[in-house]
Amino acid sequence: MNNNQKKYRVLVTRMFPEEAQRKLEQQEMLDITQWEAPKAREDLLKQVKDMDGIICMGTEKIDKEVLEAAGSHLKVEFHEHFFQRFAC
């Protein structure tokens, strides 16, 4: 990756199965903040601020409050079913 290219800040709310985790970690264009275990909603609301993307499990409720907390930087949100295909 070129040093001048923007890295996208992404919040990932869980660890993924081994193959998917390895692929995620290889994405040089991502600056990843990743949780190892579920956290309180208050943590989600704080950590999502200024993120470009969220990859979350079905247990996190992504609603208007979360989207507003993220601010205008948020461009992409993925749920776990995306990574089920990504890991194959």
Side-chain angles (χ1 to χ4, degrees):
M1 185 173 116
N2 182 331
N3 287 338
N4 295 329
Q5 290 180 320
K6 175 182 171 33
K7 289 187 96 171
Y8 296 96
R9 297 182 63 218
V10 178
L11 175 63
V12 182
T13 64
R14 294 292 192 294
M15 300 299 288
F16 290 103
E18 188 176 327
E19 181 67 20
Q21 186 67 37
R22 186 171 46 255
K23 288 180 180 181
L24 177 66
E25 292 168 358
Q26 291 173 348
Q27 302 306 307
E28 294 181 9
M29 74 281 213
L30 301 180
D31 178 12
I32 300 168
T33 299
Q34 189 167 24
W35 299 348
E36 291 187 19
K39 292 194 177 191
R41 181 165 175 88
E42 293 78 24
D43 292 321
L44 175 61
L45 293 171
K46 288 178 189 173
Q47 290 193 334
V48 75
K49 182 171 175 43
D50 296 328
M51 290 288 175
D52 295 301
I54 306 170
I55 301 173
C56 60
M57 296 293 142
T59 54
E60 283 80 31
K61 181 180 178 184
I62 305 299
D63 57 11
K64 183 178 179 181
E65 182 181 28
V66 173
L67 297 176
E68 288 176 352
S72 62
H73 287 271
L74 186 66
K75 294 166 186 59
V76 179
E77 175 217 343
F78 286 111
H79 286 276
E80 65 184 306
H81 60 82
F82 168 78
F83 270 91
Q84 290 172 354
R85 284 187 264 145
F86 183 68
C88 297

